[in-house]
Structures are given as structure tokens and as C-alpha cells.
Amino acid sequence: MRLSPPTLSEPTALSHSPYGQTEAATLRWSYLAFAISLGFALFISYIRPPLSGYFTTDEQFIADSGVFMLYGATPRCLDWPGIPMVLVFYLLAIGQCGLNLLTAAAAGHLSPIDAFGIVDKTVYNYLTDRVPLLVAGRTVQLLLVFGLLFWCIRIIYQSQVVLLPRAMRFPLVVLLCLSFDVLAGAPVVRPEALAYALFAVASLLVLLGDFREGSWRLPLVVLGVMALMISQRLLFVFTFPFLLGGLLMQMGFSWRRAAGVLAALLLCTLLAMPFLFTDSFVVLKAFLGGMLMKVGGAPQPTYFNWTYIRDSVVGNPTVWQGLLVVVGCVAFWRFYPKRGIAALLLGNLLFLTVTIFHASTIYHTHTLPIRCLAFFPLLYGLYWLFRTTNRAWVVYGLLALYVASNAYEGWALVKASFVSNPMWDVVTYLKTLPDTKRVLIDPIFDNVAPRSQKTLARELAHIQDMKLTQVKYKRQLGGKVEGDVPVAMVATLSEDERLAVLQRQILTRYTPAGRFPDAFVYTDYPGFVNYFIDKSTAMADFDKGQYDYLITYEVLPNRQPARIFWTEAYWPAFYLYQSPALAHL
């Protein structure tokens, strides 16, 4: 059978399917797929929220950075240096402070000192219970994500038939709205969720947009969306060969237009990432430093990271989609009418696949750009099967398999959030201890453990100790720095310290006296945080009775734990050990 590009008059058996009798019918089914996705997100986020914790470390640092902009601190999110969601949390914090000020003013006289004190207490309440503000920020992000997905549906159904045949429209909506990344991202709406939706909009506009000769209206929209996308997740800058190259081809390539597009993209990026003005070195360090650590952080015997591929790709129920993507790449090259753009997308997909799977450290979120670029090959794989078989049930059968496998894989991740994490039980227990108890804690509790006034004062002194800080910087740089570290480098490397100082100043002032234990954090890698204690030294001192308790997820040989914090097999247990020297008293 000789394959040819689709035409406006191409007959489709899908038009006789239950889902495709008319354009309006497929649109209604598309809105149903959208509603299912949104309903699941709302159910998971509000009706049955996760028990394992309402926020991740990344979300916490983004929210913390937004809140402490109230104190004039520029955002210090190490992994998300330019993310505009910081501004969302800043505005939410302003709103909460405003409500508290109005409440206090209605109750009586409010002096300027009282007003600043209310700001302090509002931030203190946030530090002791981050959940309400995190949920508010998550609500904003949910509205943005699903607003963008709704925009995607409008783009799909308003596109020209020559660029997207009617038979492919409902399947494309299903691929976008019922993917693993949407279904699994609902319990904890990380920044990747918004990056995913922004990429979907940008790619659809590039592939399906109606670019009129001489008009800059649509190109500027695309560039603005691209800038917001990389501000959410800098890793998506590696999709620019397809997005930027495709945009230039749609506009009609010329060197003059290319210069104009690059200048407009730079302007849009500066507007989308305002912290490039205030934290240029921090943004550069976070992006390039993070990439270098993940790509070459540890030696591996082969070029590709087969451990990750075996454990996180091959063993998943969605692995069958890889074969359909391969078939779809050939079909996309054959059927999509603009070969240059098709070459850019396929080349970009190959480049990202080779480079990301080469990295020594890979998290699931790192492979998100690959899955995003694979949407159109997936779609064209379905389309090729339809054209070959002329059977609608083949397409819908594979779509059903797609939804089922993505939902199953997503649910495997989601259901873990329904299991109570014993880490929070440990935190609850620590809140019952007085400040006379000295407790060694695993670094996993560093951001959530309650601290006594003397703990906070000690950590604050260590954070501000420049001798310790200089030693830390030299250690981080492999001991290759002679003398003192330059001031510019200190400013670049100190985003965590600046945020930590403000937090401990607030907590020290408002934490009640006598509350919470005197906590000490031990680690195998001391020196990366000034107040961390070397693990071997801490354990030896624990045996001598210098600490009352040790909380760890490690089973100590020949030791009987005083208490075990454990809920379900999914989460590791935490063990509470009493000092041997004190146990015999």
C-alpha cells in the first residue's frame, strides 16, 4: 500500500464510529476526557488528599522563597531559581498578612510596630504549618494547568484539517489529558505540571497554528509561552531546537526574522524570569551546576544508564508505547505536511533521549521533555494504524490501552500517597519532647523537625559563622580554592544560608520557651550545611550518653529500639533508640 499525506477530502472510517459521527460529537467526547482528568485532580487534591505529606522539598523551597520576599530576600530556590510560582506564594503571603492586619485593626488600635509584628507572626505560623499556604498555591497551579489544557483543546479543534485531520483530534486530546504525567501529578502538583501544560500549548501552536505572513501576533504568543515554560522547568530549554526552529519555519525563515525572534525570546524570558535580574549567578549555578552533577555525578560502566532504564522504563506498564513511538516517528515524517518541522521534532526527540538516558543521575521528572516530544509520534502511530487497517476500533482499542496503562502506572504512584508516612509520626512525637532532651535526627527531618530555642540559636550561629562557610565552599569546590573564596562566589553559593537565617530568626523569637527537643542533625556528608554533624562522631557521642535519643531509618546491630514508627510496607520504618549510657540509669 502506498502511503500519501492526508488531504481535506480524505474519507475516514472514524466518522462512522460512536465517538466520531460529527466534529461536534468528538468535541463533546474531548471535553469529557478533560472533565475526567480535572475531576480526578480535584478528588485527589481536596476530597481525599494524600496522607504521606502535602508537599515535597521542592515545593517547600519555592513557597519559602515567596514568603520571605516579604523581608526583602531575593528568592533562593536552589533548583528553581527563576520560577514565577515564587511570585504566586509571595502574593498569597501578602494576602494572608493583609487579612490578619484587617482582623487586628478591627479589634482595636494598630500601631506600625504591631503591624510588623503581625507579619512576623503570620510567617511564624506558616513555618510551623506550611500546609494551608501550599494548598492555596497548589489550587492556583491546578487552575493554570487545566486552563492551559482547555486551551489545547481549542487549538486542536480550530486547526486546519491539512495539518491535523479530524480523525486525529479526539485521540490527541486523550493523549494530552489522560497521560501518566497528568494523572500521577495530581496529588502533588509539582512545577513540572505547569511546564507540561505550557509545552503542550507551545508545541500545538507551532505545529498547528495559522501563521500569517508578516504578523507577529502568534509568534509572540508562542515565545511568551516558551519563556514561561523554561521558567517553570529549565530542562525544557532543550526542546528549543524543535520549538524555536519550528516557529522560524512557520514564519518563513530569514536571518532578519531569526534575529527578531531571538531578541523577542530574550525579552520574554527576562519578563518571565524576573530573578535573572537579581540572581544571575544563582540561576546560572543552579542550572549548569545541577546539569553537570546529574550527567557526570558518578561513573557508570556503559554510556546509557541501564539501571534507570531497567527499573523505571522497561518494568512499567506503559513501556509498550515505545514501539508505537518508533512506528509513529516514521508515520510523522511521512504524513505531516511540513517536513522541515517534522525533522526538527524527531531530531530533538532523538537528541534528548540519547542525552538524558546517558545521565548518571536520572529522576522521573528529568524524562518529562522526552514524553512531551513523543506525543505527536504517538498520535501518528495511531493514525498510521488507522490508515492501514481502516478500522476505527483499532485506534480506540489502543487509546483504551493507553489510558488504562497510564492510569495503572499513575495509580501505582498515587496510591502510595494514601499511606501515612511514618516521618510525620516522628515529627508529631518530637513535638511532645521538652527542650531538655537532646536528640540526634536523620537529615531527612532537617526541614520538618521542631526545634527548641537553643537549637535554633546554635544553628543560627553556625550558619552565620564565616569560617565554617569558607571551609564548606572550599570542600564543595574540591579544595581547589586558595585563600578566601571571592565575595561574588560567596553571594552565588549562599542562597540556602540567607533563607535559613531569616527562618531561624523568626522561629527563635516566637518559639515558646521549654518546647521541643534540642535537635542535632547528623550526616555522612558534613560540611555542606554548617550545623550538620559528622555521623561517625555523632554515633560515638550517642554511645557515650551525650544525646538522649537517636532517630534513624537504619537498624542498629545488637540494639533494641525503644519505639518503631511504621505504618505500611511502602514506607521505611524509623527507629527511636535511647542512649545506652542513659538506658542503665
Side-chain angles (χ1 to χ4, degrees):
M1 165 178 182
R2 183 175 180 272
L3 301 179
S4 60
T7 64
L8 286 171
S9 59
E10 179 184 12
T12 65
L14 287 180
S15 62
H16 303 296
S17 72
Y19 302 152
Q21 293 178 359
T22 64
E23 185 87 348
T26 61
L27 181 58
R28 286 194 294 270
W29 282 99
S30 294
Y31 286 146
L32 177 61
F34 172 83
I36 291 172
S37 179
L38 176 59
F40 179 74
L42 295 175
F43 173 79
I44 274 302
S45 299
Y46 304 107
I47 298 175
R48 178 148 183 204
L51 299 173
S52 61
Y54 286 82
F55 53 85
T56 64
T57 301
D58 291 333
E59 285 183 296
Q60 176 188 321
F61 277 117
I62 292 168
D64 285 4
S65 291
V67 169
F68 282 92
M69 284 180 69
L70 292 169
Y71 293 81
T74 51
R76 300 295 170 182
C77 335
L78 179 60
D79 289 331
W80 312 93
I83 189 169
M85 277 301 293
V86 167
L87 297 177
V88 171
F89 284 105
Y90 172 56
L91 295 174
L92 289 172
I94 288 177
Q96 185 62 61
C97 289
L99 289 175
N100 292 344
L101 287 169
L102 289 175
T103 301
H109 176 69
L110 185 66
S111 69
I113 294 178
D114 294 334
F116 283 106
I118 287 173
V119 173
D120 272 359
K121 291 176 181 177
T122 301
V123 174
Y124 172 75
N125 289 333
Y126 162 76
L127 290 174
T128 56
D129 183 9
R130 289 178 168 87
V131 171
L133 192 69
L134 263 295
V135 170
R138 191 170 298 167
T139 301
V140 173
Q141 190 153 276
L142 273 175
L143 292 173
L144 292 173
V145 168
F146 283 94
L148 289 167
L149 289 178
F150 185 83
W151 186 9
C152 287
I153 296 175
R154 304 306 300 170
I155 295 171
I156 289 168
Y157 278 87
Q158 292 171 2
S159 61
Q160 301 176 48
V161 178
V162 70
L163 294 176
L164 186 68
R166 290 186 176 89
M168 303 168 67
R169 297 184 179 189
F170 172 67
L172 180 54
V173 173
V174 171
L175 293 179
L176 285 174
C177 292
L178 297 175
S179 72
F180 166 82
D181 292 292
V182 174
L183 297 176
V188 181
V189 184
R190 290 171 51 84
E192 286 86 3
L194 196 48
Y196 170 95
L198 287 164
F199 176 86
V201 170
S203 61
L204 288 175
L205 289 175
V206 167
L207 290 166
L208 309 178
D210 182 13
F211 290 84
R212 298 178 182 178
E213 182 67 28
S215 174
W216 277 82
R217 180 179 177 182
L218 186 55
L220 285 175
V221 171
V222 174
L223 292 171
V225 172
M226 289 169 58
L228 288 170
M229 176 187 70
I230 62 168
S231 71
Q232 284 295 124
R233 198 56 164 111
L234 280 168
L235 186 62
F236 273 85
V237 74
F238 293 112
T239 64
F240 272 22
F242 157 59
L243 291 176
L244 199 57
L247 176 62
L248 285 170
M249 286 189 173
Q250 288 282 36
M251 295 175 67
F253 180 82
S254 71
W255 289 110
R256 183 177 180 180
R257 277 202 184 99
V261 165
L262 290 174
L265 177 62
L266 177 61
L267 177 61
C268 290
T269 302
L270 292 175
L271 294 175
M273 300 174 68
F275 312 122
L276 282 174
F277 293 101
T278 59
D279 294 281
S280 303
F281 287 141
V282 172
V283 173
L284 185 66
K285 179 204 70 173
F287 182 51
L288 294 181
M291 289 299 299
L292 290 173
M293 287 179 62
K294 291 177 174 65
V295 171
Q300 52 188 16
T302 56
Y303 182 83
F304 292 109
N305 189 336
W306 289 109
T307 300
Y308 178 85
I309 294 172
R310 182 184 62 252
D311 296 342
S312 301
V313 179
V314 176
N316 287 329
T318 54
V319 67
W320 66 272
Q321 293 171 196
L323 180 60
L324 189 59
V325 168
V326 174
V327 173
C329 287
V330 177
F332 184 61
W333 171 258
R334 184 67 186 88
F335 291 122
Y336 185 72
K338 300 185 178 183
R339 289 284 181 84
I341 297 177
L344 285 172
L345 188 149
L346 298 177
N348 205 161
L349 177 59
L350 177 63
F351 165 74
L352 270 181
T353 302
V354 170
T355 53
I356 288 179
F357 284 121
H358 165 64
S360 59
T361 303
I362 308 176
Y363 299 112
H364 178 76
T365 53
H366 297 161
T367 59
L368 178 60
I370 298 176
R371 295 191 296 278
C372 287
L373 284 169
F375 274 129
F376 265 80
L378 267 177
L379 177 69
Y380 273 81
L382 293 173
Y383 186 58
W384 177 81
L385 289 172
F386 163 65
R387 287 177 61 93
T388 303
T389 63
N390 202 31
R391 294 290 186 271
W393 65 264
V394 174
V395 174
Y396 291 115
L398 284 174
L399 274 181
L401 179 61
Y402 172 86
V403 174
S405 58
N406 278 265
Y408 181 82
E409 184 175 333
W411 183 250
L413 183 63
V414 168
K415 69 179 181 181
S417 66
F418 293 137
V419 180
S420 180
N421 189 334
M423 180 180 74
W424 300 104
D425 296 332
V426 173
V427 172
T428 300
Y429 171 76
L430 288 174
K431 290 179 180 179
T432 67
L433 297 177
D435 64 351
T436 56
K437 298 297 182 182
R438 293 164 60 91
V439 183
L440 272 177
I441 58 175
D442 187 273
I444 195 174
F445 297 102
D446 183 36
N447 292 321
V448 294
R451 288 162 161 83
S452 67
Q453 286 186 347
K454 52 186 169 185
T455 304
L456 293 165
R458 181 180 63 249
E459 291 183 352
L460 183 60
H462 287 168
I463 293 169
Q464 294 177 310
D465 188 329
M466 283 309 299
K467 290 183 178 179
L468 291 175
T469 302
Q470 291 280 354
V471 171
K472 180 183 75 170
Y473 293 153
K474 291 178 181 179
R475 182 181 288 109
Q476 288 177 338
L477 297 169
K480 298 177 181 178
V481 178
E482 298 293 336
D484 291 340
V485 177
V487 175
M489 183 173 288
V490 171
T492 302
L493 297 175
S494 62
E495 68 279 350
D496 288 339
E497 285 81 359
R498 294 175 185 177
L499 187 59
V501 164
L502 282 171
Q503 289 176 336
R504 280 155 181 78
Q505 287 174 336
I506 294 291
L507 289 168
T508 301
R509 175 163 297 191
Y510 294 101
T511 296
R515 291 289 307 279
F516 311 134
D518 190 8
F520 298 81
V521 184
Y522 70 87
T523 179
D524 287 316
Y525 304 100
F528 286 95
V529 177
N530 287 9
Y531 55 84
F532 278 10
I533 302 172
D534 178 71
K535 182 179 178 179
S536 59
T537 302
M539 291 300 178
D541 290 340
F542 173 69
D543 290 336
K544 296 175 184 177
Q546 294 189 23
Y547 302 99
D548 298 291
Y549 298 110
L550 164 67
I551 294 179
T552 177
Y553 60 86
E554 298 179 20
V555 178
L556 300 185
N558 303 318
R559 300 279 182 88
Q560 185 66 32
R563 183 169 176 178
I564 300 175
F565 298 89
W566 183 82
T567 50
E568 304 269 353
Y570 181 85
W571 297 105
F574 290 99
Y575 300 92
L576 172 70
Y577 293 96
Q578 189 174 3
S579 173
L582 298 177
H584 295 91
L585 295 179

